[in-house]
Amino acid sequence: MPVPDSGEALIRVLWVGLCGSDLEEFDSGPIVARPGVILGHEIVGEVLEPAADGTGPRKGQAVIVDVVIGCGRCYWCQRHEEGLCPTLEVRGQTRDGGLAQYLTADASRLVVVPSGVPADRAALAEPVSVAVRALRKIGSLLGRSVVIYGGGTIGMLCAQLAQRGGASTVVVVEPGALRRSVIQRWGVVTMWADAEEERKTLLQGLLPVRGADVVVECSGRSGVAREAARVTRRGGSMLLLGVPVGEENMDLLDLMLAEKSVFGSAAHMWDDDVAVAVDLLSSGALDVDSMITHRVPLEDIGHAFRLLQESGEAAIKLLVDCSSAPGPEDEDENA
């Protein structure tokens, strides 16, 4: 049982979402994660013990745990850009994360989940906040055409947010038939062709003559960022969200002469992006229930990772139920 400091709350973990970066650490790590760390950064829990100094939520409240931890002193932290801190720590990568029964967290940076929101749905607040922060960098999407490469969790959320933001056209480029069928339920156009030139031709028939105003790369697969840059119209914007597997060769002359803007996005802020994400989930503005394909108890975590490895597109969002596993508190009660 972890022991909280005076400004920390003791959290009983309810649900944790697994994502591609968790699988990469499980398969090939440590990559970013510190050896021996507990994984899991998409965390919703319940306050078991409020902070001793009186800050933060009260006992029994469901909360989203902040996972982006800056030093609090550097240039970026002073500008509330903790995700850019040179000594950044991330819960679930460099600090112990949520794949456990309990954890401690800074009570003042916990985001309360409204009582009407199911805890498993709230577990998607972290990926929603990633999509929220990323699209904010582009500005208003009203009347703009948007192409999204990759129909995984983040791509699906970006598609819904772009649609909600008033985009005139939203197209998701995704090879998986199951994922395309889920996305189409929201009235979003999907497409796929094995050859890049054929994909480009199909996109031309779906977009305005000027092309794609905004292209969002969510797959991280080799060569996709280069393709996304080619699809972006002259004067358009490209947003990089997918975690790349290696270096990419980009046509810099095209980016420069066509005056294309390139944005990168990775982190999120607890009091802004995460809070907005919780509001979106609370209002029902996003359909995340269709994205949750698997729920696995914590004691079967090995099975959960094998599902991600072997299920392919059939596993869209996998949640781990951490509340079902007996912990120190339960053992004390049964003694």
Side-chain angles (χ1 to χ4, degrees), residues 87-244:
T87 58
L88 172 70
E89 293 205 65
V90 177
R91 200 176 298 279
Q93 292 182 348
T94 61
R95 290 193 188 183
D96 282 343
L99 289 176
Q101 295 95 330
Y102 304 92
L103 57 77
T104 59
D106 184 343
S108 66
R109 297 168 71 98
L110 297 171
V111 179
V112 175
V113 178
S115 58
V117 181
D120 56 350
R121 187 184 301 167
L124 277 88
E126 195 275 345
V128 172
S129 69
V130 170
V132 165
R133 180 177 179 82
L135 291 180
R136 277 179 166 174
K137 297 186 177 185
I138 299 297
S140 173
L141 294 177
L142 185 64
R144 301 171 81 179
S145 56
V146 179
V147 173
I148 298 168
Y149 279 86
T153 299
I154 299 297
M156 287 181 172
L157 292 170
C158 284
Q160 291 189 65
L161 288 171
Q163 188 181 54
R164 178 179 172 79
S168 59
T169 307
V170 182
V171 181
V172 177
V173 183
E174 164 58 41
L178 175 62
R179 293 183 177 184
R180 291 201 304 270
S181 69
V182 173
I183 295 167
Q184 288 165 6
R185 297 176 194 172
W186 310 319
V188 174
V189 177
T190 67
M191 57 79 63
W192 179 252
D194 289 334
E196 179 180 344
E197 284 305 312
E198 188 177 353
R199 291 194 292 271
K200 185 177 179 180
T201 300
L202 288 173
L203 281 172
Q204 287 173 342
L206 296 170
L207 297 170
V209 174
R210 66 180 182 274
D213 298 314
V214 177
V215 180
V216 188
E217 202 295 291
C218 295
S219 75
R221 294 180 181 177
S222 178
V224 178
R226 184 170 61 250
E227 179 178 338
R230 291 171 179 159
V231 169
T232 305
R233 70 160 172 82
R234 298 175 67 86
S237 300
M238 180 174 70
L239 177 60
L240 300 176
L241 262 178
V243 179

Side-chain angles (χ1 to χ4, degrees), residues 61-77:
Q61 287 189 299
V63 293
I64 305 300
V65 177
D66 180 34
V67 297
V68 178
I69 305 167
C71 70
R73 301 178 300 275
C74 70
Y75 171 82
W76 290 274
C77 286

